[in-house]
Amino acid sequence: MGKPSFVAAILLFAILGLLFAKSFIPDYVHFSNDGPLGQQNTEWSKLPGSIWGTWDDLNSIGVNAGSFPPSVVTLIRWLLGAVGYAKFLVPVALFILGIGAWTFFRQLKLSPQAAALGALATILNSVFFSDACWGLGSHSIAFGMDFLALALVVANSPTTLWQIRLTRIVLAGFAVGINVVEAADIGAIFSLLIAVFVLFRSFTENGSIPRKVSRGIGQIIVIAFFAGFIAWQTIVSLVGTQISGIVGAQQDEATKAARWGFATQWSFPKVETLGIVVPGLFGYRMDTPDGGSYWGAVGRDLAWDRFFAKQGPQPDPQQQFLRFSGTGSYAGILVLLVAAWTIAQLFRGKNSIFSETHRKFLWFWTVVLIASLLFSYGRFAPFYALLYQLPYFSTIRNPNKFLFVFSWALGIIFTYGIHGLSQRYLQPFSGNSIAPVAQLKAWWTKVRGFDRNWILGCIAVFVVSLVAWLIYYLQKPALIAYLQTVGFPDKDMAGQIAIFSVTQIGWFVLFFALAAGLFAFILSGAFTGRRALWAGIFLGVLLVVDLGRANLPWIVYWDYKQKYDIDPNNSANSTNPLINFLRDKPYEHRVAVLQGQSPFNALYNIEWAQHHFPYYNIQSLDKIQMPRMPADLEAYESALSPNAAPDSVYLFARHWQLTNTRYLLGLAGYLSSLNEQLDPVRHRFSIIKRFAVGLKPGVTEFHQRTDELTAYPGDDGQYALFDFAGALPRAKLYSRWQIAQVDTNTLQPWIKSVQQSVPKEWGVALAQQNTNDLATLYTLASANFDPEQTVLVTTNFSMTSAANTTNANSGTVEFKSYAPKDIIFDAQAAAPSILLLNDKYDPNWHVTVDGKPAELLRCNFIMRGVYLTPGNHTVEFQFRVPNGPLYVSLAAIGVGILLCGFLFFSTRRK
């Protein structure tokens, strides 16, 4: 590592260390929406076992969560542990991104000053920074790998030895593969971008057109092959869990059309392009205090668009997202100013300060910049609809992912611009003894042409910004009124948001004035000679202060011991007695919440379901973080969803019964309704404990945050933990089973009635089931079917139960041991029986009876089962995924390490 590289690394480390200094405080971890500490503490995701496949037993009725790849993120988590990972993933991921950017910029032969500023602009760009802070640090690592891939590609020249050229291209492929491993569909988008870049670069080299094409395509093939080589396990896992058997992944026109609203929900509204220029103009997180709440339209359900547009009679969209954003878009005033100046230079032709080669690549990145922004608009513009028609683009959710590409290209153009400024206006060997202000005045009297017009343009933008700021301020009452119509009815809160938004334009005006002023001094030649170093320092300080200030709202820390109600005297327990009750043998029951708008529902949905339950390994029927539901699960949920008919309300209880949902949480006053409406004959609902919701110990003031609340048991509590005695046991023996048979004429009206009461995609999933499965679902949902007496076998199973048998004395079954991927039972079957395990069926589950392989049955449409002969048996269910793809990826890692060693010693010797 040379001195510039060492200095750049120290600079990145110091800035990230300052921004994330709180990570070094004991008991504090960084916020993460997609992978909070609770999720890292789950048994099903423990390393190293999760590398060989994972079964998420805490979510719904269980789901195949794929395999943890041998990736950078996996290594970080393994080395740091759950708490260390939650503390340091964000700064480590951003550091890797910065190092990747620095390496690429230096391989482009850009100046060290430009490379350092480019790396800083990249890691502090709000798109990357906020995304990492939101809990997706793996994306930053992926983008760092993309930079390394391009660095390896551009390091080659016609004079490079063929073996070194090939090694670099192969390693570039490995870097692209790691990008796919870390970023999935976003990684796929960047892979296509890198392929286009490689092809474009081949056209800038010498040779005939056919030779250029063959060279570019050959390099793309090598990169693609080795990318697939190292990412093979991830590709197989993603196809198996995110495409195969997932509703909406089909590529027919009807499915694409039905999925459009869901796939484009996180589109980037055109008006919010202003947020790229003005920090926090539309707010930050949904819960940012003091008026910083996000009030834009990212994450808005299509139903709300139709509602606001008043396109005919529309259903009430209150249950759909009005907005939901956890990432920002601000790029930085200095970055935008330098990038705009750089692009303007392209239109000067040969008068540009950039060489012909640089201009070619700048045109490439400018096209990428514009195209990616247009695609990010999603359903708010016509451009994304063209991409959506391409194969498998309909499986990529959220067009605003193209903002990553936009920000990536913007950072590259900015770095080229700093390099151009350095070469033309910051020559360190030029003498200059005139004071900077005097130099600026003298220059302004003489300068003409592009530079003068540029400064005049900056002055015009500054004046327009001041006028816009004044107009926006005067329109504050109208803004408050608008906010009250789009989800902020409280006038005081709407007023705070309006003031916050107006203030952000003030920050823009300030930093624009500073950036434009510094730009003018640089163009005047005031920083040539010995002052050149100061220009770099001023640019760096302005960049860091502007973007650092704008990014502070994304940096959120938790005292995890307080957040997770950890008992200070026994870290294995919670101070919340309800949590301790539910975590006792959680594999024997599931828990769900009764829907409502009470403070407890907010506490449950945000804190308990997403944080406490995973942390304490409590199994819940409620689905958390499952944007792509398996088709069989959606069909199952559809069949057991009550429709508008009053006589279908019993399906709530039937759903809980079939899924082993023993415990329910909600308002205590619901008890009579549960028994009278859902179970009017047997009245099997009862209250175990009543409780109230109040501030946690030590919290003296409520700031409208759910993590400040906890449950306090008491006989007069407003809420209750209900026991549903009708829920089936997790495991049960049946001496009576059957294959459902229903007339087609009965099924068709039932399907239509269900489709009218469930989301469109769920209805599609139901209709796509075969006749036997539809008959099973119909029977399960029938009020005349008794799940306690009979189990439905969906698998083609030759054994038949004895005639006229009952299930009264089938035998007993008990847990012998439990792990998410390995469950062992002791079963005593009094007669030929089927052991029903009320966990989701998956072909990767295998079962043995007394150590011998047995047939895994699919029962009750979606659950697992096995046939037992009379007698005592040991039954073991094991989840095993094929490990061939893992060994392929591990072999690729080994090859990559050897090639890195070869490249290092070969180039060092040269």
Side-chain angles (χ1 to χ4, degrees):
M1 178 184 289
K3 183 178 179 181
S5 300
F6 180 77
V7 172
I10 293 298
L11 180 64
L12 294 174
F13 181 85
I15 291 173
L16 290 172
L18 180 64
L19 289 171
F20 296 97
K22 211 168 182 179
S23 290
F24 296 97
I25 301 177
D27 299 345
Y28 277 84
V29 298
H30 197 278
F31 163 89
S32 175
N33 181 76
D34 288 54
L37 176 60
Q39 294 288 347
Q40 310 306 325
N41 200 57
T42 57
E43 285 296 325
W44 69 264
S45 66
K46 293 287 187 184
L47 289 167
S50 55
I51 295 176
W52 282 272
T54 58
W55 182 261
D56 180 357
D57 60 340
L58 307 183
N59 206 359
S60 183
I61 54 174
V63 63
N64 181 351
S67 302
F68 280 30
S71 65
V72 178
V73 162
T74 301
L75 179 62
I76 293 171
R77 186 178 166 207
W78 197 350
L79 293 175
L80 297 182
V83 174
Y85 178 86
K87 282 177 171 288
F88 296 109
L89 174 64
V90 178
V92 169
L94 290 171
F95 182 79
I96 292 172
L97 171 60
I99 291 298
W102 160 267
T103 304
F104 174 54
F105 298 145
R106 290 297 289 146
Q107 287 300 326
L108 289 174
K109 302 297 187 287
L110 303 183
S111 67
Q113 186 181 67
L117 290 173
L120 282 175
T122 300
I123 67 171
L124 295 178
N125 182 290
S126 287
V127 173
F128 299 133
F129 192 93
S130 62
D131 181 65
C133 289
W134 191 245
L136 295 167
S138 61
H139 291 169
S140 292
I141 294 172
F143 306 144
M145 293 298 122
D146 293 323
F147 275 122
L148 289 177
L150 291 191
L152 288 161
V153 170
V154 301
N156 283 332
S157 70
T159 60
T160 306
L161 295 176
W162 71 267
Q163 57 267 43
I164 294 179
R165 284 176 64 94
L166 180 60
T167 300
R168 284 174 174 160
I169 295 300
V170 170
L171 289 176
F174 283 144
V176 172
I178 296 173
N179 145 73
V180 173
V181 170
E182 301 288 2
D185 53 358
I186 302 177
I189 293 172
F190 271 84
S191 300
L192 294 175
L193 174 61
I194 291 172
V196 174
F197 175 84
V198 170
L199 186 61
F200 176 83
R201 182 175 183 269
S202 70
F203 277 89
T204 66
E205 298 177 341
N206 296 326
S208 63
I209 296 296
R211 182 175 177 82
K212 291 178 180 179
V213 172
S214 61
R215 182 191 301 126
I217 293 178
Q219 291 179 349
I220 292 171
I221 291 173
V222 173
I223 290 173
F225 176 82
F226 285 96
F229 186 14
I230 199 169
W232 185 243
Q233 184 203 27
T234 298
I235 294 171
V236 171
S237 181
L238 286 174
V239 170
T241 61
Q242 304 297 316
I243 296 179
S244 178
I246 300 297
V247 171
Q250 294 80 6
Q251 294 303 288
D252 57 275
E253 291 301 318
T255 301
K256 288 183 176 181
R259 185 178 170 80
W260 172 254
F262 175 79
T264 60
Q265 185 170 346
W266 269 261
S267 297
F268 189 56
K270 295 187 293 295
V271 68
E272 294 190 35
T273 306
L274 293 171
I276 297 173
V277 182
V278 181
L281 180 64
F282 297 91
Y284 285 89
R285 291 164 40 121
M286 301 286 290
D287 59 352
T288 300
D290 303 322
S293 299
Y294 176 68
W295 56 275
V298 172
R300 177 171 294 174
D301 191 273
L302 188 59
W304 279 105
D305 288 352
R306 294 168 178 161
F307 178 79
F308 289 132
K310 296 181 172 56
Q311 298 173 352
Q314 295 294 333
D316 184 1
Q318 293 294 328
Q319 299 302 316
Q320 309 300 327
F321 277 143
L322 179 56
R323 63 180 58 83
F324 193 95
S325 179
T327 55
S329 57
Y330 182 55
I333 299 299
L334 182 64
V335 175
L336 291 166
L337 193 61
V338 173
W341 177 82
T342 304
I343 293 172
Q345 288 283 344
L346 297 179
F347 292 93
R348 300 182 67 192
K350 293 184 178 180
N351 292 324
S352 170
I353 68 169
F354 296 105
S355 66
E356 182 180 356
T357 300
H358 279 179
R359 289 201 306 274
K360 288 179 180 179
F361 284 104
L362 281 170
W363 275 117
F364 173 83
W365 291 114
T366 300
V367 171
V368 170
L369 183 82
I370 296 171
S372 57
L373 180 61
L374 296 178
F375 289 144
S376 73
Y377 292 147
R379 68 168 182 255
F380 299 119
F383 311 103
Y384 188 75
L386 302 176
L387 277 183
Y388 191 77
Q389 298 305 316
L390 297 177
Y392 288 99
F393 264 87
S394 62
T395 65
I396 297 176
R397 191 182 180 201
N398 310 341
N400 68 348
K401 289 175 178 178
F402 279 92
L403 282 179
F404 292 115
V405 181
F406 171 85
S407 301
W408 211 57
L410 181 66
I412 294 171
I413 295 171
F414 164 77
T415 309
Y416 269 109
I418 293 294
H419 177 76
L421 288 172
S422 300
Q423 297 300 304
R424 176 63 64 90
Y425 301 100
L426 300 175
Q427 290 298 328
F429 303 109
S430 301
N432 189 354
S433 58
I434 305 176
V437 176
Q439 174 68 27
L440 177 63
K441 291 180 179 179
W443 171 76
W444 185 248
T445 61
K446 297 181 296 183
V447 68
R448 296 293 183 270
F450 180 85
D451 286 354
R452 185 179 184 88
N453 292 335
W454 177 258
I455 297 302
L456 290 174
C458 288
I459 294 172
V461 171
F462 178 74
V463 173
V464 171
S465 300
L466 284 175
V467 174
W469 187 17
L470 176 61
I471 294 173
Y472 195 53
Y473 174 78
L474 295 175
Q475 291 296 314
K476 189 173 66 172
L479 176 59
I480 293 173
Y482 168 77
L483 291 170
Q484 289 182 284
T485 66
V486 292
F488 302 95
D490 183 78
K491 188 173 183 179
D492 291 338
M493 185 175 185
Q496 278 189 317
I497 293 174
I499 292 172
F500 185 92
S501 183
V502 171
T503 304
Q504 298 311 301
I505 299 183
W507 282 109
F508 164 79
V509 171
L510 171 63
F511 279 101
F512 182 83
L514 293 173
L518 181 56
F519 216 107
F521 274 102
I522 292 173
L523 295 182
S524 73
F527 286 106
T528 56
R530 289 176 296 177
R531 299 185 191 134
L533 177 62
W534 283 105
I537 294 174
F538 289 148
L539 287 168
V541 169
L542 180 60
L543 183 72
V544 171
V545 172
D546 177 26
L547 281 164
R549 183 208 67 83
N551 282 328
L552 286 179
W554 300 112
I555 304 174
V556 178
Y557 279 89
W558 291 326
D559 179 340
Y560 79 88
K561 290 187 176 179
Q562 181 188 52
K563 182 174 183 65
Y564 290 97
D565 294 342
I566 298 174
D567 189 339
N569 300 316
N570 183 356
S571 60
N573 288 333
S574 171
T575 56
N576 185 335
L578 270 74
I579 294 293
N580 285 331
F581 177 86
L582 294 172
R583 67 189 293 259
D584 181 35
K585 297 181 180 179
Y587 48 83
E588 293 186 351
H589 51 256
R590 290 190 174 92
V591 61
V593 70
L594 299 174
Q595 295 302 316
Q597 300 297 321
S598 68
F600 172 72
N601 284 84
L603 173 63
Y604 177 89
N605 291 324
I606 297 174
E607 298 297 325
W608 288 23
Q610 298 190 57
H611 297 283
H612 291 69
F613 284 7
Y615 187 86
Y616 294 103
N617 288 284
I618 296 171
Q619 300 186 15
S620 171
L621 181 67
D622 300 306
K623 289 174 283 296
I624 306 300
Q625 299 285 3
M626 193 185 289
R628 297 179 178 90
M629 282 179 60
D632 56 352
L633 182 58
E634 287 201 353
Y636 184 74
E637 299 273 338
S638 300
L640 297 174
S641 294
N643 54 41
D647 58 354
S648 67
V649 70
Y650 72 91
L651 287 174
F652 282 116
R654 177 61 56 83
H655 189 198
W656 297 329
Q657 181 181 34
L658 293 170
T659 55
N660 178 233
T661 305
R662 178 72 184 267
Y663 299 119
L664 303 165
L665 292 156
L667 287 166
Y670 284 163
L671 179 62
S672 60
S673 297
L674 290 172
N675 279 320
E676 297 301 329
Q677 297 182 33
L678 306 189
D679 196 27
V681 176
R682 303 177 66 176
H683 288 194
R684 288 170 291 182
F685 292 95
S686 61
I687 290 178
I688 299 176
K689 293 181 181 181
R690 294 177 70 120
F691 63 93
V693 172
L695 296 178
K696 289 182 177 180
V699 178
T700 58
E701 184 178 356
F702 185 42
H703 300 92
Q704 305 298 320
R705 287 170 35 192
T706 53
D707 61 351
E708 298 172 329
L709 302 174
T710 190
Y712 290 95
D715 293 339
D716 58 347
Q718 183 181 4
Y719 307 101
L721 171 65
F722 298 95
D723 178 23
F724 177 39
L728 295 177
R730 182 63 61 90
K732 180 177 174 64
L733 288 176
Y734 286 85
S735 58
R736 182 176 178 180
W737 61 89
Q738 68 182 54
I739 296 175
Q741 294 181 344
V742 181
D743 185 79
T744 304
N745 294 329
T746 303
L747 286 177
Q748 293 305 319
W750 173 74
I751 294 172
K752 290 181 179 179
S753 67
V754 172
Q755 288 177 324
Q756 292 174 358
S757 60
V758 299
K760 189 173 183 179
E761 286 191 3
W762 291 27
V764 171
L766 182 68
Q768 290 176 342
Q769 305 302 311
N770 61 48
T771 302
N772 290 338
D773 284 339
L774 287 171
T776 301
L777 290 172
Y778 175 87
T779 305
L780 288 174
S782 172
N784 298 322
F785 177 69
D786 186 355
E788 293 184 355
Q789 296 299 319
T790 306
V791 62
L792 302 178
V793 181
T794 313
T795 307
N796 187 13
F797 185 56
S798 59
M799 297 290 184
T800 57
S801 59
N804 301 321
T805 61
T806 66
N807 204 52
N809 296 304
S810 298
T812 61
V813 56
E814 296 180 352
F815 281 93
K816 186 175 182 180
S817 67
Y818 180 89
K821 295 191 297 182
D822 192 353
I823 309 171
I824 303 178
F825 295 101
D826 280 332
Q828 297 181 356
S833 304
I834 287 179
L835 189 159
L836 170 68
L837 175 58
N838 285 307
D839 283 341
K840 187 177 182 298
Y841 175 90
D842 188 281
N844 289 305
W845 278 98
H846 304 270
V847 60
T848 61
V849 178
D850 300 325
K852 298 178 180 179
E855 182 182 4
L856 180 70
L857 304 179
R858 183 160 65 94
C859 302
N860 284 353
F861 178 75
I862 203 169
M863 303 300 184
R864 302 196 294 271
V866 63
Y867 173 76
L868 300 179
T869 58
N872 298 335
H873 301 285
T874 298
V875 181
E876 182 173 13
F877 291 87
Q878 287 185 314
F879 182 74
R880 298 193 304 269
V881 298
N883 288 320
L886 170 63
Y887 299 136
V888 171
S889 293
L890 290 175
I893 292 173
V895 172
I897 292 172
L898 292 175
L899 289 178
C900 285
F902 167 77
L903 185 63
F904 175 79
F905 288 109
S906 296
T907 54
R908 184 181 180 88
R909 183 169 61 250
K910 179 181 177 182

